[in-house]
Amino acid sequence: MTTSQKPQTSQQLAELIVQGMQDKKASQITILDLRHVGNAVADYFVICSGNSDTQVDAITDSVQELVYKATKEQPWHVEGKTNREWILIDYADAVAHVFRKDKRQFYDLEHLWGDARVTHIETE
C-alpha cells in the first residue's frame, strides 16, 4: 500500500504500522490477528522490539507519522511515552506495541493472546 491511500480495513492499518516499524529497523515484528478471538479489544496487535529507549521513541514516531500521512488519523490513545519501555499506540482497530527488547519477554503478549493467529515479519 502506498502512503497516499487511506486504509479501508483494520488489516491495511496493521500493514501501515508494520511499515512504520520496519522504517526504523524494529526487530521481532509480530502481528496478532485477534478478529476471531472472543472479547478482543482490537482486530490486530502489532508488536515489535527496539534495542534502546532512543530506538523505541524513533519507532513510535515513525508509526505515528506514517499512519497520519496515509490516513490523516491520529491515534486514539498513546501510553508509555515517558518511560519508553513499552509504548502502546492505539488506533482502535489496530494497536501497536513497541517494546524495549529487555521488557518484551516479561509482558509476553503473544502468550497472553495465545488464541490469536500469529504472523512473524522477517526483518533484516
Side-chain angles (χ1 to χ4, degrees):
M1 172 184 333
T2 66
T3 54
S4 62
Q5 296 174 310
K6 182 172 175 144
Q8 299 300 309
T9 66
S10 55
Q11 181 178 358
Q12 289 171 323
L13 180 58
E15 290 168 3
L16 282 171
I17 291 169
V18 167
Q19 185 180 342
M21 291 173 171
Q22 289 174 322
D23 286 352
K24 295 300 177 188
K25 309 283 190 232
S27 61
Q28 299 174 301
I29 301 172
T30 304
I31 301 171
L32 302 183
D33 182 346
L34 302 166
R35 292 177 294 176
H36 304 346
V37 176
N39 299 319
V41 296
D43 289 348
Y44 291 93
F45 280 178
V46 185
I47 306 166
C48 74
S49 299
N51 293 318
S52 66
D53 293 355
T54 304
Q55 187 182 22
V56 167
D57 261 347
I59 293 166
T60 301
D61 292 344
S62 177
V63 167
Q64 289 180 280
E65 289 169 14
L66 195 125
V67 170
Y68 183 77
K69 282 181 186 175
T71 67
K72 301 298 183 232
E73 292 181 31
Q74 297 287 353
W76 175 74
H77 185 70
V78 177
E79 191 169 318
K81 214 48 179 140
T82 308
N83 67 12
R84 298 182 295 185
E85 293 178 353
W86 172 13
I87 299 177
L88 178 143
I89 312 164
D90 188 347
Y91 288 99
D93 291 336
V95 180
H97 298 269
V98 183
F99 284 96
R100 200 173 64 207
K101 193 175 256 184
D102 62 324
K103 295 296 179 184
R104 182 168 176 174
Q105 189 173 10
F106 177 79
Y107 292 103
D108 197 12
L109 292 183
E110 291 93 337
H111 179 74
L112 201 62
W113 291 93
D115 293 342
R117 292 185 187 139
V118 178
T119 302
H120 299 283
I121 305 297
E122 293 296 320
T123 55
E124 296 176 15

